Structures are given as structure tokens and as C-alpha cells.
């Protein structure tokens, strides 16, 4: 049995197969998707208020209108930002030419070289890192019922960084950063979880314990760097600030594979997360197995965050801001995992663009840009949100 | 608790620890002057290498460690009482970050690392302290000790990133300051110490002077006014004291976090929550903690040394977790 908010069978916001078939103009003014209790595929293809029915052949799915629109809008923005990222730099390329070169592989040899060889890998890394951080942040925020709980605030990023730096300094390149970063993120997650006595039990305690765990791993990173040979330390330094410059292609590939697995999984898990908004008892009655669900959600976000750090190092604030933006755009309803991923990609690329251009030819690492720009926002969130005293 | 108890349970153990760590600071090192040779110098031997190491390297460093530790310990105790928050710590609340940002800014604007005085750091610390206490007095956020710490961490992160950007842009500043931004007492000598000593002494004096009124303030502003104190003036003196202490300490040693958390935590366990006793014990415990961290930092990665700030984070984070986990945060 599924929970009531799910009686409308949802699919991912931008389900690719088929085009939008039937909409319900009459009910479009109703903002909230409140599906009637028995939506056993009504025989005339009418979608419940606030949703859109996508049909292809005999199959059809209902998609909430908010996430769909937000997804389409964010995709458009993402394409625009990618075009700008591909076109801006020492050698300017017209945005449309850049897109054509990237997608179709046509254009002047110079454009092709600049776009596909030089800028495309960086944009690719930025999109993947941003999407992973956005999705990880969304999952963790929902899991802990606290929108400040993100991989960077609970020490995951620091743990992943410490292990990645240790792996690089230790020398043999046989150990890939993704493996070490993933181990680090998992270790930090386990430590924070164990030391704070569970997610969401005592409001902000989870976060401050995460802060402590993060401080230890940060100190460990410095310790490793202070011991390392100067060359190894320089090689590892990139991981301590968060940058998209010259990232290793294998790590990006691993991240992309991870995203292919994690994002669909996250969408499936997000359905169950809807039920976790209530107390555990209610969620259990609604048919969710609470503990396995929690573990699965946590693991998914650890994998996303760890692989992202393996590519770019700790890029803060994306995991915090992207889900927030996604929720604003989609409105109330299901947990917006995919929208968060899209928003994360847009934010990361934009921050990198800013870092690349404002002080050109000097380049500010994307992690510093997000910290400086996102800091005031985080402060504002912290100081204005009222603590909800939930039992 | 009687004075005799305070003496036996708080002051004497703290003084003993300080003596032990100070001697260890002179005897132990990362280089090849071992405890035996160092002890011989202290007893009047004339081994020139050892003599130079102990008297010109370790002695000033130990003195700096004592000054920095005392300042940070007292600052932590005062800040915790003012914010009425057992987690309020100069490093965690962003006071140290404000001080270091001010120094970085001054150097980028043209000062040199050797001429920039402690007052720039004091100014930065004052701004950081005012922001932190302002946040602590916000309704909603300030009632929640843990949330205040998160806000401080966010502020520190932001200011730290801004410092990094400045250093990135300005290579000269970066070279001058690189050694300093992690928190360290290496290579700091009598000269730097004498420059900040007046600042620190004034800070401690202000802390001692304001402590009775600050204790009264924990009963609430109305009661304190009824007892004849002026809350605004008391808080202003407290802010000034914290700014002087943290700014001075940061000017010598860079940002050293967690000392202001660990020291009052331990002192409270020894002599209870009374602020005057806390201050007395913290003045002795602070240097002990810093010296201990410094000695350990020389030993764990021999023949290298580890920055002091890293070591205190390794010590302090578990204490932070312990304080947060304690079923009821100690009331202040």
C-alpha cells in the first residue's frame, strides 16, 4: 500500500517518452495537486487538477504541473548557461556556434577545437558535479527534515576531501580519487550519524556534530598536506578549494555513471520520502519500511556527494541552495530531486563562469565563489528560520 | 564552593599542568636537541647548539603559547557568559575569522606583515564579536545555542573564502601571510609578543573588571538593572575585552580555534559555573592547552611540525561533540 499523496502515479518531471497529450484547462487554476483518493485510471483520459497526463501508446503517466514546468524552465536555463560557458573565454565563440559545435560537431576548426576539446570537458564536469550536489542536498535535507543539513554542512565533503588528499599524497595513482573520496564521505556520514545519535532526532544537533566531524577531517587534511612532499601537496591542493579547472576525466566518467544509477534511484526513493515527512509511526502505517528507506536515501546522497568531491573538491553551498531553488520553483508536492539536480547544475556552472570571468585572466576557484556568494544566504537562512519544535 | 576548594580542585591542578607543559615545551622538539640536552642547558650546560635551540627558539615560542592560550581561554569564558551559550567560542562564532580577514585586508591594501599592528586584528575581532552577539540576541536564533554556532561557522566560511580570494588576487600578500593563516606559534618571538602584550593585559583586566556584572546579567537584563548594573555598558566592555584578547592572540598566532571552547568547558567541570572562578582557572588552563597542543604537534609528524591550529581542532572537535551531546546543554 502506498501513501495517499501518491495516489496519482507520478513519473519524473520531464518524462521523455511521448509528448504532452492531454491537459485539463478547467482545473488549471487549482494550485495544489490534490489527487482524489481513488485514481484508478479514469476511463476518459482526464487528469486530476494540477497535473498533466503524458500518454504514449497504451501507457500514460500523470506528472504534477509544477515540477514539469520547473523542469522545462530549468533545462532551458541550463542550455543557455552551457552555451555561454562554451562561448566565453580568451577566444570568444558565438553562443549558437558553440552549441552547434558541441552538439553536432560542426563549425570552423578553431571553434571545434576550443569548444569540444578545451571547454566542453569543464562544462561537463560542472554539470555533473552540480547535479550530484543538488540531488544529494535535496535527499539529505528531506531525510533530516532540516533544510540546512547538506553534505557540506554535516562534514561529508570534508571527509571526502581528506581521503582524496590522502590518496593523492600517498602516491600510487592506482587508487583513483573517486574510490578514496567515496570512502571518506561514507566514513564521515557514519561518524556524524553515530555521534549525533540519528538524523533529525534533535534538530540542529546533527548539524553541529557534523561541524565537529568536518573540523576533524579538515585538520586531518591540513596534517596530511603539511607532511607531504611539496609536489604531492601541490597536486592535492586542488581538492581543498573546489575547482573545475583541469579535472581528471576518469573521475568525471565515474561520476556520470554514478549519476545514471543514483538519479533514477533517488526519484524512486523520493516517493517514499514523502511519507517520512510524518512521524515514523505514520510512515510505517502508510507502508514504508522506514529504516531501510533512511539507509538507502543516505547512501544515495553519500555516493552523489563523494563522487562530486572526487571530481571538483568541496564546492559548498550548491547542495544547500539548489534544492531550495527547486522547491521555490516546483511549489508544494513531491520531493523535487530531479529539479534540484538541474538547479545544482545551473548554479555550479554560473558560479564557475563568474569565477572565470570577473577577474580574468586570474581565475577564482568555483568553491570560493560559492562560499563568498552563498555565505550571506546561509546566514540569512540560519538567523531567520524559526525552529520547528517537533516532538 | 569555598575558596579552599577552588584552590585545591581548580587553581592548583591547572597551575601544575601549566608548569609541566611549559617545561615540556622547552625540553621537547622536532629537531635533534632531545630532552636530555635541553635539560642540561636549563641546568647551566654550554652545548651551543642546544643553547640556541632552547633559549632562542623554544623559550620565545613557549612564552607566545602562554600568552595566546591565556588570552583565548579568558576570551572564551567571557564570550560564553555574554552570549549565554556554552558553545560560544571565538573561533566558532567567527571572531577569529573577522580578525584574520582584517589582517589580510590590511596587507592587501599595502601594509606589511611585520608592520601591521595588533590593532587591525582587534578591530576585525570587534566587528566579528558584535555580529556574533547581535545574532545571539536575535529572537529565535539566539535562543538556540547550536544554531548560533552554525551561523558563526557560516560567517567564518564566508569570510575565510573572501580572504582566500584576496590572497589569490594579491601574490605578495599571499607570500607574506601563508604561514600565518593556519594558526601557529612557530617563529614568533619576543618582539611580536611585546607588541601585543599591552593589548592582552588590558583585555584580561577588562574581563576581570566586568565579570561580576556579567554574572548578574545571566539572571536577565531586568534583574541585573535592579541590582544596579547597566546591561548595555556591561556588554560593551565584554565585547571590548573579547576583541582585545582575540585580536591580540590572532595577531601573534593566527586563528587558533577551539581553545576558547575546551578551556571554559574543562574549567567549568573543575570549579563550577561562577564566572570569576572560571576566569581564574581559565587563565592557567588556556596556556596549558595551547602548550600541550604545541608539544604534541612537534612530536606526531617528526621531523616536521604540524600547525597549532590543526592540533587544537583535533583536540577541540571531540569536546564540541561532547558538549552538544550532553543531554542538557549546561545552563549559563
Amino acid at each position: 500500500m502506498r501513501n495517499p499523496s501518491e495516489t496519482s502515479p507520478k513519473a519524473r518531471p520531464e518524462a521523455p517518452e511521448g509528448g504532452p497529450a492531454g491537459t485539463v484547462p478547467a482545473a488549471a487554476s487549482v494550485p495544489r495537486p490534490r489527487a482524489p483518493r481513488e485514481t484508478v485510471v479514469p476511463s476518459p483520459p482526464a487528469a486530476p487538477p494540477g497535473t498533466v497526463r503524458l500518454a504514449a501508446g497504451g501507457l500514460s503517466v500523470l506528472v504534477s504541473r509544477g515540477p514539469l514546468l520547473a523542469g522545462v524552465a530549468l533545462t532551458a536555463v541550463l542550455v543557455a548557461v552551457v552555451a555561454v560557458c562554451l562561448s566565453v573565454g580568451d577566444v570568444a565563440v558565438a553562443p549558437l556556434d558553440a552549441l552547434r559545435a558541441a552538439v553536432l560537431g560542426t563549425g570552423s576548426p578553431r571553434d571545434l577545437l576550443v569548444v569540444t576539446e578545451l571547454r566542453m570537458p569543464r562544462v561537463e564536469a560542472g554539470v555533473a558535479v552540480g547535479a550530484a550536489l543538488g540531488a544529494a542536498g535535496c535527499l539529505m535535507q528531506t531525510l533530516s527534515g532540516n533544510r540546512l543539513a547538506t553534505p557540506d554542512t554535516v562534514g561529508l565533503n570534508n571527509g571526502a576531501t581528506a581521503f582524496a588528499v590522502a590518496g593523492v599524497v600517498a602516491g600510487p595513482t592506482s587508487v583513483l580519487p573517486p574510490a578514496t573520496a567515496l570512502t571518506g564521505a561514507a566514513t564521515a556520514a557514519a561518524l556524524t550519524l553515530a555521534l549525533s545519535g540519528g538524523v533529525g532526532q534533535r534538530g540542529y544537533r546533527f548539524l553541529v556534530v557534523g561541524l565537529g566531524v568536518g573540523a576533524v577531517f579538515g585538520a586531518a587534511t591540513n596534517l596530511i598536506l603539511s607532511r607531504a612532499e611539496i609536489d604531492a601537496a601541490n597536486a592535492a591542493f586542488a581538492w581543498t578549494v573546489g575547482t573545475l579547472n583541469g579535472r581528471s576525466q576518469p573521475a568525471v566518467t565515474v561520476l556520470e555513471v554514478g549519476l545514471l544509477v543514483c538519479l533514477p534511484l533517488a526519484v524512486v526513493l523520493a516517493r517514499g520520502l514523502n511519507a517520512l515527512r510524518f512521524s515514523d509511526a505514520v510512515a510505517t502505517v502508510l507502508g514504508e519500511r522506514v529504516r531501510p528507506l533512511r539507509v538507502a536515501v543516505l547512501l544515495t546522497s553519500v555516493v552523489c556527494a563523494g563522487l562530486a568531491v572526487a571530481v571538483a573538491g568541496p564546492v559548498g553551498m550548491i547542495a544547500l541552495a539548489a534544492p531550495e531553488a527547486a522547491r521555490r520553483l516546483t511549489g508544494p508536492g513531491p520531493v523535487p530531486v530531479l529539479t534540484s539536480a538541474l538547479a545544482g547544475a545551473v548554479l555550479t556552472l554560473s558560479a564557475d563562469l563568474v569565477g572565470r570571468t570577473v577577474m580574468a585572466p586570474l581565475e577564482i576557484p568555483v568553491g570560493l565563489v560559492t562560499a563568498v556568494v552563498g555565505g550571506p544566504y546561509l546566514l540569512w537562512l540560519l538567523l531567520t528560520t524559526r525552529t520547528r519544535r517537533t516532538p | 564552593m569555598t575558596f579552599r576548594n577552588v584552590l585545591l580542585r581548580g587553581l592548583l591542578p591547572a597551575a601544575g599542568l601549566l608548569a609541566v607543559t611549559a617545561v615540556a615545551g622547552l625540553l621537547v622538539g622536532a629537531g635533534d636537541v632531545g630532552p636530555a640536552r635541553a635539560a642540561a642547558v636549563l641546568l647551566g650546560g654550554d652545548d651551543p647548539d642546544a643553547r640556541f635551540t632552547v633559549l632562542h627558539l623554544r623559550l620565545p615560542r613557549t612564552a607566545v603559547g602562554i600568552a595566546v592560550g591565556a588570552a583565548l581561554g579568558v576570551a572564551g569564558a567571557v564570550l560564553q557568559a555574554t552570549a549565554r551559550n556554552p558553545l560560544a567560542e571565538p573561533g566558532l562564532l567567527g571572531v577569529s575569522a573577522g580578525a584574520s580577514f582584517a589582517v589580510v585586508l590590511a596587507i592587501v591594501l599595502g601594509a606589511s606583515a611585520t608592520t601591521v599592528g595588533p590593532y587591525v586584528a582587534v578591530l576585525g575581532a570587534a566587528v566579528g564579536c558584535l555580529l556574533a552577539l547581535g545574532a545571539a540576541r536575535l529572537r529565535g536564533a539566539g535562543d538556540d545555542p547550536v544554531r548560533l554556532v552554525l551561523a558563526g561557522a557560516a560567517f567564518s566560511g564566508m569570510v575565510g573564502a573572501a580572504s582566500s580570494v584576496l590572497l589569490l588576487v594579491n601574490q605578495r600578500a599571499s607570500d607574506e601571510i601563508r604561514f600565518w593563516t593556519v594558526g601557529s606559534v612557530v617563529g614568533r618571538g619576543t618582539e611580536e609578543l611585546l607588541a601585543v602584550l599591552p593589548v592582552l593585559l588590558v583585555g584580561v583586566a577588562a574581563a576581570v573588571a566586568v565579570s561580576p556584572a556579567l554574572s548578574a546579567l545571566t539572571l536577565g537584563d531586568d534583574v541585573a538593572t535592579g541590582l544596579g548594573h547597566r546591561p548595555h555598558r556591561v556588554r560593551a566592555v565584554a565585547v571590548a575585552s573579547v576583541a582585545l584578547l582575540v585580536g591580540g592572540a590572532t595577531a601573534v598566532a593566527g586563528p587558533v580555534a577551539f581553545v576558547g571552547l575546551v578551556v571554559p568547558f574543562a574549567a567549568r567541570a573543575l570549579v563550577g559555573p561562577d564566572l570569576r572562578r572560571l576566569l581564574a582557572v581559565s587563565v592557567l588552563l588556556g596556556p596549558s592547552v595551547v602548550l600541550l597542543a604545541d608539544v604534541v604537534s612537534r612530536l606526531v609528524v617528526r621531523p616536521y611540525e604540524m600547525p597549532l591550529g590543526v592540533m587544537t581542532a583535533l583536540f577541540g572537535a571531540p569536546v564540541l561533540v561532547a558538549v552538544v551531546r550532553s543531554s542538557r546543554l549546561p545552563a549559563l
Side-chain angles (χ1 to χ4, degrees), chain A residues 24-43:
Chain A
V24 180
S29 61
V30 179
R32 280 203 59 148
R34 265 279 172 258
R37 200 159 271 277
E38 62 294 358
T39 23
V40 193
V41 188
S43 35

Side-chain angles (χ1 to χ4, degrees), chain B residues 286-305:
Chain B
S288 318
V289 168
V290 167
L291 289 177
L292 190 64
D294 188 34
V295 168
V296 174
S297 79
R298 297 178 214 171
L299 296 182
V300 280
V301 290
R302 290 181 77 174
Y304 305 99
E305 290 190 5

Side-chain angles (χ1 to χ4, degrees), chain A residues 195 208 219 223 376 382 385 387, chain B residues 146-147 151 158 306 310 317 324-325:
Chain A
L195 288 175
V208 171
L223 167 65
L382 269 165
T385 22
T387 317
Chain B
V146 166
R147 184 139 60 138
M158 182 176 75
M306 196 156 71
V310 174
V324 177
R325 272 191 68 89

